[in-house]
Amino acid sequence: MQKPKINEIVIVEGRDDTRAVLEAVDCRTIETHGFGISIDTWNLIEKAYQEKGIIVFTDPDFTGNEIRKRILSKFPDAKEAFLSRSDATKADDIGIENGKPEEIRKALSKAKATERSEEERQMQILRKQKQRIAEQQRLDEERAEMERLEQEK
C-alpha cells in the first residue's frame, strides 16, 4: 500500500513520534521536544501554519494535552489529530510512537488532512522556483539601479 501524502505539517512531540508518523504517511513534521518549545520551533510552526497549515498530533497524556493547548492558543485554526490512549499505549508508555500505522492514518484522516498528488507536489516546486526567480530579478534590478545612481554621482 502506498502511503498517503499529507499537505499539512504534522506537529509531534519527538523523534519517535516522527518515526511512527512517517511509517504511516508521507509528510513533514515539526517536533516540539516536549513542553519547553523553543523560539526557533515556534517560528517554524508559525511558518508552517501560514504556508501549509498544521495538524497538532500530540500524545494522549497530560503533557501532550498541555502542548496541544499552547499550540492551539497561538494557532486557533490548526487541525487536530487524536490517537486514543489504548492505541497509543505499549506497556506503561503512552505516546504517538506506539501507534500502529493504520491507526495513525485513521487519526490524520479524521483530522481532515489533505492529501497531495504528485502533480500538486510538482506544481508546488514550480511555484517556489518561480518565486525565487522573481525575487532574484527584483534584486538584480535594485542592484542595477543602485549602480546607475552611483555612476551619476
Side-chain angles (χ1 to χ4, degrees):
M1 177 182 141
Q2 187 169 356
K3 295 188 285 187
K5 295 176 175 153
I6 305 293
N7 275 328
E8 295 86 356
I9 310 297
V10 180
I11 311 302
V12 296
E13 292 180 52
R15 71 174 181 266
D16 291 337
D17 299 326
T18 289
R19 180 196 43 75
V21 169
L22 294 179
E23 281 182 29
V25 297
D26 180 2
C27 69
R28 291 182 49 211
T29 64
I30 296 174
E31 298 166 4
T32 66
H33 302 290
F35 191 74
I37 303 171
S38 72
I39 291 172
D40 288 341
T41 301
W42 279 119
N43 291 338
L44 280 174
I45 294 171
E46 182 170 5
K47 183 176 183 193
Y49 180 76
Q50 298 297 331
E51 293 180 4
K52 295 203 170 246
I54 61 173
I55 300 173
V56 181
F57 196 24
T58 56
D59 297 346
D61 59 10
F62 178 80
T63 302
N65 288 330
E66 291 301 306
I67 293 168
R68 180 182 298 275
K69 286 179 198 174
R70 286 183 67 198
I71 293 170
L72 292 174
S73 73
K74 290 181 181 253
F75 309 107
D77 293 329
K79 295 178 180 179
E80 297 182 77
F82 298 91
L83 204 57
S84 71
R85 281 181 84 90
S86 61
D87 287 335
T89 301
K90 186 176 188 179
D92 289 336
D93 182 43
I94 298 174
I96 299 301
E97 73 270 13
N98 298 320
K100 294 179 180 150
E102 58 271 13
E103 295 302 326
I104 290 171
R105 280 191 290 274
K106 196 184 322 180
L108 291 168
S109 177
K110 286 181 181 178
K112 305 280 191 256
T114 54
E115 292 186 33
R116 68 177 189 269
S117 68
E118 184 59 25
E119 182 179 317
E120 289 171 320
R121 195 179 72 72
Q122 292 297 328
M123 291 300 292
Q124 183 179 27
I125 290 168
L126 286 173
R127 278 192 300 275
K128 286 182 180 180
Q129 288 173 339
K130 285 181 181 180
Q131 288 172 343
R132 282 194 292 269
I133 290 168
E135 179 65 14
Q136 187 60 51
Q137 287 173 337
R138 186 186 66 75
L139 291 172
D140 289 345
E141 289 170 4
E142 283 181 12
R143 190 176 305 116
E145 179 65 15
M146 288 175 66
E147 288 173 1
R148 186 187 65 74
L149 292 171
E150 194 65 34
Q151 288 175 355
E152 288 178 359
K153 287 184 179 180

